[in-house]
Amino acid sequence: MKVRHVKHSDRGEQSFRVTQEVVPHFYNPLHFHNEVELAYIIQSHGTVFIGDYIGSFKPGDLFLIGEKLPHNFKNAADYFAKESKLEAEALVIHFDKDFLGADLWEKAEMKAINNLLHEARKGILVFGNTGSIVQKRMIDLPQLSSVSQVLAIVEMLDIISLSKENQVLSTSLPSSNFNFADAEKLNKINGYALMNFKKPIPIKTIAALVSMNPSAFCRYFKMRTKRSFSQFLIELRLQHATQMLINSSSTIDQISFESGFESPSYFYRCFRKHKGLTPAAFQKKLR
């Protein structure tokens, strides 16, 4: 896919990178890197995978993603339509955790930021007024001098670290033996599941996709994702159903079938188990 426009900070060699992307859709597969990532979604929506977390992203969302944490932003299907004129835009900062020295965060004054970076290894969604303040700082960043940029990054981390408007996303830290081969396999699995979750996906079909027999696949998937493939499918279906409950005028029974559930009663049980309330109560709460 050809990128329409990618804007990088143009200040020569730096200990961090600022990137602004405007593309037809986000294109990075499931991946991980040694840098910490602060990502501001300016426009577009879809499904996000961060560690073992599956959720949605939308304009105005701000994510802090720690080092070596697998993640992927996958735009909704309408962004991939042949005649689509939609665009996805994000402003992203990458920096090495120790870009100001290995012992800086160990100092007493930096305790809150050190704790934040530790939590970021599970991924953090920053919301509310805190998110708005940090986003404004990010937008202004490219216009600052190099020293002011460094100070601004520390200030943004400080603002987030002192806020209660943070949600830790993944339930576990990334596996120490997760590698690029794992990322490639899981990207194939995630991509196929996102395209086909509305219908039954036999284990043998998804296992063959990554050249495994069903039993080996089931062991591998649970080891790498901390859930069974069937649980993963339920989470994808619930994620889709949740967005429909918020944005669609379809009935709850229609939503259950359009999200891949075999029956409305099964959808109700799964939704209540994961969300703590019924689909109708969830819908009423948000509307």
Side-chain angles (χ1 to χ4, degrees):
M1 187 200 74
K2 184 177 179 181
V3 177
R4 295 184 187 175
H5 174 64
V6 177
K7 181 180 179 181
H8 292 275
S9 178
D10 56 359
R11 298 182 180 276
E13 293 186 5
Q14 288 183 298
S15 51
F16 58 90
R17 184 172 71 255
V18 181
T19 306
Q20 185 171 356
E21 293 185 349
V22 182
V23 293
H25 52 78
F26 295 135
Y27 52 90
N28 285 331
L30 186 72
H31 66 289
F32 62 98
H33 38 67
N34 292 328
E35 298 86 9
V36 178
E37 177 177 315
L38 185 61
Y40 166 32
I41 307 299
I42 298 174
Q43 63 175 330
S44 85
H45 65 280
T47 301
V48 60
F49 300 87
I50 298 178
D52 61 19
Y53 171 80
I54 301 171
S56 63
F57 69 88
K58 63 186 184 304
D61 281 348
L62 182 67
F63 296 91
L64 182 64
I65 301 169
E67 70 273 18
K68 299 181 180 178
L69 178 60
H71 58 283
N72 173 216
F73 292 86
K74 182 77 170 179
N75 282 121
D78 47 347
Y79 282 81
F80 297 88
K82 187 175 181 181
E83 303 301 325
S84 173
K85 296 182 180 180
L86 297 171
E87 289 185 325
E89 182 176 2
L91 183 61
V92 185
I93 302 171
H94 290 99
F95 60 92
D96 188 275
K97 181 185 175 184
D98 298 328
F99 80 111
L100 293 177
D103 62 344
L104 176 67
W105 310 124
E106 300 297 330
K107 298 185 182 300
E109 295 83 358
M110 299 295 181
K111 182 178 179 180
I113 295 179
N114 192 32
N115 290 339
L116 174 72
L117 294 175
H118 181 80
E119 284 191 326
R121 295 187 300 162
K122 293 182 179 181
I124 294 173
L125 172 65
V126 185
F127 56 90
N129 189 52
T130 304
S132 299
I133 292 171
V134 173
Q135 290 163 13
K136 178 63 168 60
R137 301 288 201 282
M138 291 179 71
I139 292 171
D140 293 341
L141 199 64
Q143 283 71 52
L144 301 178
S145 68
S146 296
V147 172
S148 294
Q149 285 183 331
V150 171
L151 295 175
I153 291 174
V154 175
E155 181 188 25
M156 286 186 281
L157 293 175
D158 184 50
I159 291 169
I160 298 171
S161 72
L162 299 176
S163 172
K164 294 183 179 179
E165 297 177 308
N166 301 331
Q167 177 188 351
V168 177
L169 301 176
S170 183
T171 62
S172 60
L173 294 172
S175 172
S176 59
N177 59 359
F178 190 90
N179 54 42
F180 289 104
D182 291 321
E184 184 176 359
K185 285 181 180 178
L186 290 176
N187 190 58
K188 287 182 180 179
I189 295 165
N190 290 355
Y192 185 88
L194 278 170
M195 292 294 293
N196 297 280
F197 69 85
K198 295 182 182 181
K199 60 186 180 182
I201 302 178
I203 289 293
K204 64 180 182 180
T205 299
I206 197 71
L209 187 69
V210 289
S211 303
M212 289 183 172
N213 64 54
S215 59
F217 170 81
C218 289
R219 290 193 301 271
Y220 173 84
F221 190 83
K222 191 159 190 176
M223 183 182 300
R224 288 293 182 265
T225 68
K226 314 302 181 185
R227 57 162 75 82
S228 67
F229 183 70
S230 61
Q231 291 171 322
F232 172 70
L233 271 183
I234 288 172
E235 291 180 34
L236 281 182
R237 290 165 179 161
L238 286 172
Q239 178 59 36
H240 181 75
T242 299
Q243 293 306 305
M244 289 194 70
L245 286 168
I246 296 171
N247 302 311
S248 172
S249 59
S250 299
T251 67
I252 292 176
D253 284 4
Q254 288 174 328
I255 289 171
S256 71
F257 288 117
E258 290 179 29
S259 300
F261 289 94
E262 60 191 37
S263 69
S265 60
Y266 183 55
F267 169 56
Y268 272 69
R269 291 198 304 272
C270 291
F271 194 93
R272 186 161 194 165
K273 179 180 178 181
H274 284 76
K275 303 291 186 180
L277 68 172
T278 66
F282 173 84
Q283 196 173 55
K284 183 178 180 180
K285 183 179 178 180
L286 293 181
R287 288 186 173 180

